Amino acid sequence: MTTDYLQTKGRIFDIQRYSIHDGTGIRTICFLKGCVLRCKWCCNPESQEYRIQEMVVQGKTKTIGRDVTVAEVMETVEKDRPYYNRSGGGLTLSGGESLCQPEFARDLLHAAKAVGINTAMESMACAKWEVIAEILPWLDHYLCDIKHMDSAKHKLFTGKGNELMLENARKIAESGQTYLSIRVPVIPTFNDTPEEVKAIARFADSLPGVEEIYLLPYHRLGQDKYAGLGRTYELPDILPPEAEHMERLKREVESWTKLKCHIGG
């Protein structure tokens, strides 16, 4: 069997081991460079540009981005196989938007599946359907972000409307090829009202096979990165939602849908 896919090259900016987020169990997360959106709250602004950049981190200039092969990434992923086996974990692709590097994402997922490692991808599904369809056979868990049901407001805060993403989310669900979860970054002034979250939850509940929705509270952990990149953070006065508010949103979701609702994850 040919293993040419192991030599496919891609551009990443980090590999994080021993994560308990972005999929089940203990996971290794590979962060890919490049994104089609410009979300005002983005906690990984260094992921947005595909080009290799320099960013000031704790007073020192750091190069952000490096080119690697699938085989090189798998060397790191393979190190933690015992943890995956015990916890049900595996490899997760994140970014950025992994679909901006479709061949690399596909072949990296293929490589993991070829050696029996569980795969997940955190994505906005903002790509042509043909791109997504090529990835699905190698993907165990699609963690799909749905940020807002109103396209105009979605465009105001992210730079693009939401039509393609909603269409693709439905196609992914209808394909039955992967376990699909919906994730909602809860951002004050953007989508944190019960009505807005309820609208997303109702859409998620209409997707065949979807059983879970994750509400991800806004945080400010990436704010300093903007200064390091010489950029202005556009939501400087926004505070994270209080735990009580998140619990209220969770209750709203579970009262209006049959979905299991999680806070965080």
Side-chain angles (χ1 to χ4, degrees), residues 167-184:
E167 178 185 344
N168 281 336
R170 185 164 297 280
K171 287 181 177 179
I172 293 164
E174 291 174 348
S175 78
Q177 289 185 271
T178 185
Y179 184 74
L180 175 63
S181 298
I182 301 302
R183 308 207 308 176
V184 185

Side-chain angles (χ1 to χ4, degrees), residues 46-62:
E46 72 274 35
S47 75
Q48 294 178 349
E49 297 286 344
Y50 175 73
R51 64 185 176 89
I52 294 174
Q53 300 168 281
E54 290 189 343
M55 181 171 72
V56 178
V57 180
Q58 296 180 341
K60 296 181 179 180
T61 301
K62 181 180 178 180

Side-chain angles (χ1 to χ4, degrees), residues 136-152:
L136 291 181
W138 312 109
L139 187 59
D140 292 310
H141 191 179
Y142 203 125
L143 299 152
C144 186
D145 276 17
I146 302 293
K147 307 177 194 302
H148 211 289
M149 294 305 295
D150 182 270
S151 187

Side-chain angles (χ1 to χ4, degrees), residues 179-216:
Y179 184 74
L180 175 63
S181 298
I182 301 302
R183 308 207 308 176
V184 185
V186 178
I187 314 298
T189 74
F190 172 53
N191 67 352
D192 70 328
T193 68
E195 293 73 22
E196 289 167 314
V197 171
K198 193 186 304 178
I200 298 171
R202 281 175 164 168
F203 171 77
D205 199 31
S206 75
L207 301 177
V210 171
E211 301 174 348
E212 297 179 297
I213 188 168
Y214 293 80
L215 304 181
L216 312 179

Side-chain angles (χ1 to χ4, degrees), residues 239-263:
L239 298 176
E242 295 183 356
E244 182 179 342
H245 183 64
M246 294 300 300
E247 289 292 342
R248 179 190 174 193
L249 295 178
K250 180 177 184 289
R251 290 194 298 270
E252 288 281 346
V253 169
E254 293 186 333
S255 68
W256 284 91
T257 73
K258 64 180 182 296
L259 300 171
K260 176 64 177 176
C261 184
H262 308 271
I263 297 175

Side-chain angles (χ1 to χ4, degrees), residues 58-250:
Q58 296 180 341
K60 296 181 179 180
T61 301
K62 181 180 178 180
T63 299
I64 305 296
R66 58 189 176 99
D67 294 329
V68 295
T69 64
V70 167
E72 288 171 328
V73 174
M74 288 304 299
E75 286 180 10
T76 299
V77 174
E78 285 271 17
K79 292 177 181 178
D80 295 321
R81 181 187 287 274
Y83 297 104
Y84 312 148
N85 292 341
R86 289 199 292 268
S87 68
L91 168 68
T92 298
L93 303 190
S94 188
E97 169 56 79
S98 301
L99 298 175
C100 289
Q101 298 187 55
E103 294 84 8
F104 181 62
R106 178 199 63 206
D107 291 351
L108 189 48
L109 295 170
H110 182 177
K113 290 298 293 179
V115 293
I117 293 176
N118 177 274
T119 60
M121 182 172 71
E122 188 256 333
S123 163
M124 287 83 70
C126 190
K128 293 181 179 179
W129 171 247
E130 293 76 15
V131 169
I132 297 173
E134 282 200 6
I135 287 174
L136 291 181
W138 312 109
L139 187 59
D140 292 310
H141 191 179
Y142 203 125
L143 299 152
C144 186
D145 276 17
I146 302 293
K147 307 177 194 302
H148 211 289
M149 294 305 295
D150 182 270
S151 187
K153 195 166 187 182
H154 192 282
K155 185 174 183 178
L156 180 64
F157 277 76
T158 73
K160 285 187 179 291
N162 65 1
E163 292 84 359
L164 178 61
M165 302 164 219
L166 298 181
E167 178 185 344
N168 281 336
R170 185 164 297 280
K171 287 181 177 179
I172 293 164
E174 291 174 348
S175 78
Q177 289 185 271
T178 185
Y179 184 74
L180 175 63
S181 298
I182 301 302
R183 308 207 308 176
V184 185
V186 178
I187 314 298
T189 74
F190 172 53
N191 67 352
D192 70 328
T193 68
E195 293 73 22
E196 289 167 314
V197 171
K198 193 186 304 178
I200 298 171
R202 281 175 164 168
F203 171 77
D205 199 31
S206 75
L207 301 177
V210 171
E211 301 174 348
E212 297 179 297
I213 188 168
Y214 293 80
L215 304 181
L216 312 179
Y218 165 76
H219 60 75
R220 305 175 70 170
L221 299 179
Q223 188 170 346
D224 291 344
K225 295 180 180 180
Y226 288 80
L229 290 167
R231 294 175 53 185
T232 300
Y233 186 66
E234 295 190 48
L235 301 177
D237 300 321
I238 301 300
L239 298 176
E242 295 183 356
E244 182 179 342
H245 183 64
M246 294 300 300
E247 289 292 342
R248 179 190 174 193
L249 295 178
K250 180 177 184 289

